[in-house]
């Protein structure tokens, strides 16, 4: 029983069907790309700028470098009762006749809300400065510091008599009737105290003085106790956007400022780019197996090189190629090595043909032709020489 040759060839023929493994890899690749896009979107969302946290700078419950937990604990050690209020209503309910209101810059409150917040307090200490607060309480104006050296109180406030030197980072020019403490050489003060009327308002930039990081430096802790520890009860108001009375103003977005056709056009271009990427990334059918290497006939390369040489009109290059081929063939027929020089080939050929060596040296090692007519003459002479050498060698081998 003989086997069917056609069936045997069919069994060993390479399959052109799409493998399920390739499809699985492609699907996993798209899943990985989608996962990367989602992760990137989540990362961008996590670093988006958000509103300040309620546990920000000079927060009495914050243990960060910019918080004021250390100062609050020092006040408690001095038997000062601290009530932390995070809304205006809590602050108003906690204030009493002898209480001290302490707060950082109430950035989220309007001018009227700030005045209403401070009105019931007998003492108010503002721990961070702002030009708006200077204007509301008529305390003075901002002033440049003339030096960065430590300064002392230099004022008549008795609670500051035992406080050492501090190094503030912001100074002010006191208004008329406002006491300035910790003044520099130009008269600018780091602490403003207004005792006019029936209440006291003190303002100082305390971010670099009363934060947890710098509280133990110089006389910072003593200054904080002197300002905030003059009463047995402190109401520490922590401003936040949640307690704001300012209505949010509508802000024109980029989509509102551009024409209506821009957004659909961008989406259409994006969709076209995705479709083009998918189309370019797909193959047109399965891969076809091809036997390698591919055999190319010598005549094809010969004709191709000949066309290139003819197009370049380089007679010397063509003559050099013809001469090299003739030298290889002559050396083989004369029994010489492949490394034989043109002079050695010319000498051997002249001995076989018994002709003068000068003409052969000129043909095999002389100057190359510079035009087509000289190229044709050189090609003809090389062909005649090869024919003559082949005839002479053939006669010698067949002569008894």
């Amino acid at each position: 029983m003989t086997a069917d040759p056609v069936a045997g060839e069919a069994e060993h023929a390479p399959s052109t069907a799409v493998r399920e493994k390739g499809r699985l890899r492609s699907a996993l690749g798209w899943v990985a790309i989608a996962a990367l896009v989602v992760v990137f979107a989540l990362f961008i969302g996590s670093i988006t700028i958000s509103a300040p946290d309620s546990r920000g700078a000079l927060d009495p419950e914050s243990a960060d470098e910019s918080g004021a937990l250390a100062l609050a604990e020092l006040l408690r050690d001095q038997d000062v009762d601290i009530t932390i209020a995070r809304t205006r209503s809590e602050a108003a309910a906690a204030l009493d006749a002898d209480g001290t209101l302490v707060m950082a810059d109430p950035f989220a409150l309007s001018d009227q809300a700030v005045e209403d917040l401070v009105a019931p307090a007998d003492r108010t200490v503002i721990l961070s400065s702002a030009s708006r607060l200077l204007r509301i309480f008529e305390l003075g104006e901002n002033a440049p510091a003339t030096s960065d050296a430590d300064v002392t109180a230099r004022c008549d406030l008795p609670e500051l008599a035992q406080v050492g030197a501090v190094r503030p980072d912001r100074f002010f020019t006191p208004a008329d009737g406002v006491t300035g403490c910790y003044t520099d050489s130009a008269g600018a003060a780091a602490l403003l105290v207004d005792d006019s009327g029936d209440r006291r308002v003190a303002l100082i930039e305390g971010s670099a003085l009363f934060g947890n990081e710098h509280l133990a430096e110089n006389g910072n802790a003593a200054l904080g106790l002197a300002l905030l520890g003059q009463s047995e009860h402190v109401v520490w108001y922590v401003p936040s956007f949640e307690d704001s009375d300012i209505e949010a103003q509508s802000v024109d977005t980029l989509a509102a400022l551009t024409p209506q056709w821009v957004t659909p056009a961008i989406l259409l271009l994006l969709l076209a780019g995705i479709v083009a990427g998918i189309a370019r990334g797909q193959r047109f059918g399965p891969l076809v197996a091809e036997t390698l290497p591919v055999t190319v006939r010598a005549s094809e390369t010969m004709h191709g090189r000949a066309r290139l040489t003819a197009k370049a009109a380089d007679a010397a290059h063509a003559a050099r190629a013809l001469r090299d081929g003739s030298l290889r063939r002559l050396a083989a027929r004369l029994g010489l090595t492949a490394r034989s020089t043109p002079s050695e080939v010319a000498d051997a050929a002249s001995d076989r043909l018994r002709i003068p060596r000068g003409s052969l040296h000129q043909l095999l090692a002389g100057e190359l032709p510079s035009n087509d007519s000289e190229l044709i003459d050189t090609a003809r002479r090389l062909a005649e020489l090869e024919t003559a050498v082949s005839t002479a060698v053939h006669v010698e081998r067949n002569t008894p």
Side-chain angles (χ1 to χ4, degrees):
M1 182 178 181
T2 60
D4 189 359
V6 177
E9 293 180 359
E11 292 179 358
H12 296 285
S15 175
T16 59
V18 180
R19 297 182 178 180
E20 293 297 332
K21 187 176 181 180
R23 289 183 177 179
L24 179 60
R25 289 181 178 178
S26 178
L28 291 177
W30 284 108
V31 171
I33 293 175
L36 290 177
V37 171
V38 173
V39 171
F40 180 76
L42 293 176
F43 174 73
I44 294 298
S46 65
I47 63 175
T48 302
I49 298 176
S50 58
D53 188 11
S54 59
R55 303 297 172 88
L58 298 178
D59 190 311
E61 293 182 332
S62 175
D64 295 337
E65 294 180 352
S66 60
L69 178 61
L71 179 57
E73 291 299 325
L74 288 179
L75 290 172
R76 291 189 177 98
D77 291 341
Q78 299 298 321
D79 296 330
V80 177
D81 183 24
I82 299 178
T83 300
I84 300 174
R86 299 191 178 274
T87 62
R88 289 170 291 159
S89 59
E90 293 178 358
L95 278 173
D96 50 26
D98 296 329
T100 299
L101 175 64
V102 179
M103 64 179 176
D105 176 23
F107 52 86
L109 301 182
S110 63
D111 295 353
Q112 185 61 45
V114 173
E115 294 179 356
D116 295 341
L117 177 64
V118 175
D122 182 58
R123 298 181 183 87
T124 301
V125 180
I126 303 174
L127 299 181
S128 60
S129 60
S131 300
R132 183 177 68 128
L133 298 177
L134 296 174
R135 173 181 52 81
I136 293 175
F137 299 108
E138 298 179 353
L139 297 175
E141 298 177 351
N142 292 310
T146 57
S147 66
D148 58 353
D150 296 344
V151 293
T152 55
R154 297 180 185 176
C155 60
D156 297 333
L157 297 180
E159 60 266 27
L160 302 180
Q162 302 300 323
V163 178
V166 297
R167 182 174 295 182
D169 59 352
R170 190 167 182 179
F171 288 81
F172 313 95
T173 300
D176 295 339
V178 176
T179 302
C181 300
Y182 296 97
T183 56
D184 60 4
S185 57
L191 173 63
L192 301 179
V193 180
D194 183 10
D195 285 324
S196 61
D198 55 352
R199 64 181 182 181
R200 166 183 283 191
V201 177
L203 181 143
I204 188 172
E205 179 55 54
S207 300
L209 297 175
F210 306 135
N212 297 327
E213 182 181 9
H214 303 287
L215 185 64
E217 300 175 359
N218 301 325
N220 297 349
L223 177 59
L225 292 175
L227 292 177
L228 280 63
Q230 298 303 311
S231 61
E232 297 180 355
H233 184 208
V234 169
V235 178
W236 201 313
Y237 171 69
V238 181
S240 64
F241 282 107
E242 289 76 8
D243 192 42
S244 176
D245 65 324
I246 303 175
E247 296 182 359
Q249 298 179 355
S250 60
V251 180
D252 292 336
T253 61
L254 182 61
L257 297 176
T258 54
Q260 296 181 355
W261 58 269
V262 173
T263 301
I266 294 176
L267 295 177
L268 182 61
L269 289 176
L270 181 61
L271 180 61
I274 295 174
V275 172
I278 295 176
R280 295 288 295 176
Q282 289 183 342
R283 297 194 303 263
F284 294 100
L287 294 176
V288 179
E290 182 179 2
T291 304
L292 294 177
V294 178
T295 303
V296 180
R297 292 182 298 176
S299 60
E300 295 183 10
T301 58
M302 180 186 68
H303 288 301
R305 292 180 179 179
R307 293 190 187 96
L308 291 176
T309 304
K311 186 176 182 180
D314 190 357
H317 179 77
R320 184 182 297 108
L322 293 174
R323 178 187 288 179
D324 292 341
S326 297
L327 287 172
R328 288 194 302 270
R329 290 187 292 271
L330 289 172
R333 291 170 184 173
L334 294 173
L336 302 177
T337 63
R339 297 182 179 180
S340 300
T341 63
S343 299
E344 293 175 349
V345 176
D347 293 341
S350 63
D351 292 340
R352 292 294 180 91
L353 299 178
R354 295 180 176 83
I355 59 177
R357 299 180 178 181
S359 60
L360 293 184
H361 276 274
Q362 179 64 30
L363 177 62
L364 298 178
E367 296 183 359
L368 296 172
S370 58
N371 51 51
D372 291 344
S373 59
E374 294 179 359
L375 175 62
I376 294 173
D377 182 64
T378 300
R380 179 181 56 77
R381 292 174 60 189
L382 289 173
E384 292 176 353
L385 176 61
E386 291 187 38
T387 301
V389 170
S390 298
T391 302
V393 172
H394 180 72
V395 171
E396 289 180 359
R397 291 178 179 177
N398 291 280
T399 301

